[in-house]
Amino acid sequence: MRIAVGVTGASGAVYGYNLILLLSRLGIEVHTVYTQMGEKVLEYECGVTIKEISKHAKVYANDDLFASLASGSFKTDGMVIVPCSMHTLGALANASGGNLLTRSADVTLKEGRKLIVVPRETPVTAIHLENMLKLARGGAVILPASPAFYHKPKTLDDMVNFMLGKIMDVIGIEHRLFRRWGE
Ligand SMILES: Cc1cc2nc3c(=O)[nH]c(=O)nc-3n(C[C@H](O)[C@H](O)[C@H](O)COP(=O)(O)O)c2cc1C
């Protein structure tokens, strides 16, 4: 299995980092692209550099539009953008593939593959909502970064894992990241 992970400069860098670790531990080929702000927020919030990420995933430069991820002929089993800033959300909603992250996402949709977008902002404006609606209509799964409490989280990891579990559910990978309702 091969999954692309795009990470932007929204808060919640831990979601992207932990998802990359999780997928790579499962033996899944992970192809990753960070925006410039994505890298900065990763360092600020997690104290982790892109060099560390490259131990677990193939990392591409966001301005490398010659990269394999930029072409629909390079097959993936889907792409997750986590966390997704309102800036990148706007670009995605307009199918503007000006950098590798937005181009890869656009390619994912045009090829009919799964695109999971995890927006992180609050409150949101009507413009943000319209962008999400446009993307959802275009075939993306909008999976807001809004961890639940019904599984009685005790740690930050429990809350992060809830979000990762929801992402894994959409990708279609079995997991035990949180206790399901009724279990
Ligand atoms: C610490 C930090 C946290 C941020 N959190 C958010 C956020 O949660 N959502 C968001 O849309 N933008 C957030 N921003 C602003 C984005 O980084 C900024 O809009 C940037 O242009 C996004 O660029 P990108 O989409 O290319 O990563 C944050 C910025 C900083 C410095």
Side-chain angles (χ1 to χ4, degrees):
M1 198 174 205
R2 179 188 281 163
I3 300 288
V5 179
V7 186
T8 76
S11 188
V14 66
Y15 292 128
Y17 179 44
N18 284 13
L19 179 67
I20 290 165
L21 293 182
L22 177 66
L23 293 173
S24 88
R25 278 187 201 128
L26 289 171
I28 292 163
E29 205 181 295
V30 187
H31 294 252
T32 297
V33 55
Y34 272 75
T35 64
Q36 194 181 23
M37 274 306 285
E39 274 194 54
K40 286 188 181 172
V41 176
L42 173 73
E43 284 196 38
Y44 180 76
E45 291 187 343
C46 304
V48 170
T49 63
I50 200 74
K51 208 171 159 197
E52 176 61 27
I53 300 292
S54 64
K55 293 181 192 159
H56 310 279
K58 179 162 173 49
V59 176
Y60 301 86
N62 199 22
D63 63 358
D64 182 9
L65 283 151
F66 278 81
S68 47
L69 274 188
S71 169
S73 65
F74 182 74
K75 283 195 164 175
T76 69
D77 296 287
M79 179 169 188
V80 188
I81 302 183
V82 56
C84 184
S85 69
M86 296 305 100
H87 171 244
T88 292
L89 180 77
L92 296 175
N94 287 292
S96 61
N99 59 42
L100 184 60
L101 192 154
T102 52
R103 168 67 188 164
S104 308
D106 201 37
V107 158
T108 303
L109 281 184
K110 87 178 170 71
E111 297 296 333
R113 298 175 193 144
K114 212 160 265 176
L115 177 68
I116 301 165
V117 177
V118 184
R120 212 313 311 173
E121 191 49 277
T122 195
V124 286
T125 67
I127 301 167
H128 299 146
L129 291 169
E130 276 180 4
N131 285 337
M132 287 183 219
L133 181 61
K134 248 176 120 176
L135 268 177
R137 286 190 171 138
V141 173
I142 306 296
L143 199 154
S146 57
F149 293 88
Y150 61 78
H151 64 303
K152 310 268 175 78
K154 292 189 177 51
T155 64
L156 189 59
D157 261 356
D158 289 344
M159 300 189 75
V160 171
N161 281 343
F162 179 84
M163 287 309 306
L164 299 192
K166 297 298 281 186
I167 293 169
M168 299 293 262
D169 281 351
V170 177
I171 300 175
I173 301 174
E174 282 302 319
H175 66 85
R176 305 285 301 168
L177 288 160
F178 57 79
R179 197 161 51 87
R180 292 178 191 280
W181 185 248
E183 269 181 356

